[in-house]
Amino acid sequence: MFDFYKNDTIDAVNAKFEAQKIAFAPLSFQAARALRNMGILDEISNARKKGITISELSQKLGISLYGIGVLVEMGLGMGAIKIHKDSSEDDLRLTLGKIGFFLMKDEMTQVNMDFSEDICYRGAENLEESIRTGKPAGLPHLGPWKTVYEGLSQLTEQQKKSWFGFDHFYSDLAFPEALPIVFENPVKRLFDIGGNTAKWAIACCRYNDDVKVSIIDLPGQTAVAEKNAAATGFADRIDTISCNVLDDSTAFPQGADAVWMSQFLDCFSLEQVTKILTKIHKAATPDTDIYVLEPLWDKQRFEAAAYSLQATSLYFTCIANGNSKMYRYAELKHAIEIAGFELKEAHHNVGPNAYSLLRFRKK
């Protein structure tokens, strides 16, 4: 992975082109959304190899020739749309490019675009202020909270759909591979810190008939978790503990065979990670397994995945809390170890989105 960041082999012409893509990124992003949302990519896709003209698109969709024209031309520039090989300059016929296919059909791309639009786009203009102050200066575009987590239950329905869609898409896909690892040894009591909507807790109860799960999270999230646990018939095996894990008065309960944190520690600075793990250390026994599931950007299989995680770090900077990020393996491991833990196992490339599942125990 790091070889890509060490080597600068791109030629000057293509480097300048990439720089222009960055310069016009806000406009190309909105053009891509319009091409998708207004049905233009769908109609081009439906035309298949025959292709379709701008005038035919205009008639089918009820959009002016001008409107179709400017979006299609940007689509050509982005590679989302291609010109049919048999087209003439006076009669352009359009076909769908590979990039257009992924914009239209790929679930990960859809999730990322909706998250960027509904959660990040407006607040991103405050990134520089966030960097300078260490506070999420773009968060007021969503609501009057200190962190986004305090306001998740108060987001609009569209914002909730995009936020939770983004959050669950990645980590949930790792659950089927993570469950056998966690339950390889008997687990009667599991603490799910940052359990959110109870998806992991419910998955545990479905996987193992004996386990009982306590979800530890902010009050807004535990209220949702309780409803979801009851709706799936696990109210007797899933309970909740409402608290702020950073509050100095918060102490974690004892008695867990395993402690689970899925995509949770990236919500905190490294110093806060150590603070949280120090509290867990006080409640854990030498036999308590501490599991951390995170997408570490330097442990990804593909450069595109690392890029997405690096971009997600900026969401944490200007929207979520102002001080956390998607971490590298070594820096997150070190922050946990200095709280008094020792890494026992590291499973990388867990699930289709290449998560890392780390198991720690007290030294």
Side-chain angles (χ1 to χ4, degrees):
M1 174 59 71
F2 278 105
D3 287 343
F4 171 76
Y5 301 107
K6 292 176 182 177
N7 301 325
D8 194 9
T9 57
I10 190 171
D11 61 71
V13 171
N14 284 302
K16 188 171 183 178
F17 183 29
E18 292 300 320
Q20 304 324 301
K21 292 180 183 179
I22 295 170
F24 285 102
L27 292 170
S28 61
F29 172 79
Q30 293 297 351
R33 282 181 54 80
L35 285 165
R36 183 192 72 175
N37 295 348
M38 299 177 79
I40 297 171
L41 293 180
D42 277 321
E43 291 296 339
I44 295 174
S45 177
N46 292 338
R48 300 187 181 277
K49 293 183 179 180
K50 177 184 177 183
I52 189 170
T53 66
I54 289 176
S55 61
E56 288 171 339
L57 284 170
S58 176
Q59 292 170 7
K60 282 179 173 287
L61 296 171
I63 303 171
S64 71
L65 287 169
Y66 168 80
I68 294 288
V70 293
L71 288 175
V72 162
E73 288 166 8
M74 188 69 248
L76 289 168
M78 291 187 292
I81 297 170
K82 294 295 180 179
I83 296 174
H84 194 283
K85 62 182 180 179
D86 296 328
S87 290
S88 67
E89 291 188 11
D90 296 325
D91 184 32
L92 294 182
R93 300 195 71 80
L94 309 168
T95 58
L96 191 69
K98 294 184 181 71
I99 294 172
F101 171 83
F102 282 102
L103 287 172
M104 187 177 67
K105 295 293 187 180
D106 179 58
E107 186 179 2
M108 181 174 71
T109 304
Q110 301 263 2
V111 164
N112 287 346
M113 286 186 72
D114 290 344
F115 179 76
S116 292
E117 170 66 15
D118 296 325
I119 302 299
C120 304
Y121 198 86
R122 291 157 190 82
E125 67 181 29
N126 301 106
L127 177 60
E128 286 188 28
E129 181 184 350
S130 299
I131 295 290
R132 295 181 189 281
T133 64
K135 297 179 180 180
L139 181 56
H141 291 277
L142 297 178
W145 314 297
K146 291 183 179 180
T147 70
V148 73
Y149 312 108
E150 298 172 18
L152 288 179
S153 62
Q154 302 171 54
L155 294 174
T156 68
E157 290 307 310
Q158 180 58 42
Q159 290 168 341
K160 287 179 185 176
K161 180 181 177 182
S162 295
W163 194 94
F164 285 105
F166 179 83
D167 185 63
H168 292 160
F169 174 78
Y170 292 97
S171 59
D172 289 8
L173 294 178
F175 289 175
E177 290 185 34
L179 284 164
I181 296 172
V182 173
F183 286 95
E184 184 176 0
N185 296 318
V187 178
K188 297 291 186 180
R189 185 82 187 281
L190 184 144
F191 292 162
D192 182 2
I193 304 178
N196 215 330
T197 59
K199 283 208 167 185
W200 169 255
I202 291 168
C204 287
C205 291
R206 286 174 173 161
Y207 185 85
N208 184 283
D209 292 335
D210 299 322
V211 69
K212 291 188 177 181
V213 183
S214 294
I215 295 174
I216 301 173
D217 211 328
L218 294 168
Q221 271 74 291
T222 55
V224 175
E226 288 173 1
K227 291 180 181 178
N228 291 339
T232 51
F234 294 119
D236 60 329
R237 294 171 58 196
I238 297 174
D239 60 34
T240 63
I241 300 170
S242 299
C243 68
N244 182 341
V245 296
L246 291 179
D247 194 311
D248 290 336
S249 64
T250 297
F252 289 117
Q254 298 179 342
D257 300 305
V259 175
W260 171 265
M261 289 170 281
S262 170
Q263 207 166 301
F264 174 70
L265 295 181
D266 55 49
C267 301
F268 303 93
S269 69
L270 287 172
E271 293 78 7
Q272 291 171 334
V273 168
T274 301
K275 179 178 179 178
I276 293 168
L277 268 294
T278 299
K279 292 184 178 185
I280 295 173
H281 189 274
K282 293 178 181 178
T285 72
D287 296 324
T288 305
D289 286 315
I290 312 299
Y291 291 98
V292 174
L293 183 71
E294 284 288 340
L296 305 170
W297 70 257
D298 62 329
K299 293 297 181 181
Q300 298 303 302
R301 290 190 292 260
F302 303 107
E303 292 165 13
Y307 179 88
S308 296
L309 293 173
Q310 291 156 350
T312 301
S313 287
L314 300 181
Y315 147 75
F316 285 110
T317 303
C318 62
I319 304 293
N321 54 37
N323 60 12
S324 73
K325 62 191 282 282
M326 309 307 290
Y327 290 109
R328 288 186 296 111
Y329 173 58
E331 62 185 350
L332 183 61
K333 175 175 171 284
H334 178 67
I336 295 171
E337 287 176 336
I338 61 178
F341 289 97
E342 181 180 9
L343 180 67
K344 294 297 185 179
E345 290 180 312
H347 303 267
H348 300 297
N349 295 319
V350 175
N353 292 314
Y355 270 65
S356 292
L357 179 56
L358 312 178
R359 181 174 71 89
F360 294 87
R361 280 193 174 184
K362 292 177 72 167
K363 290 180 181 178

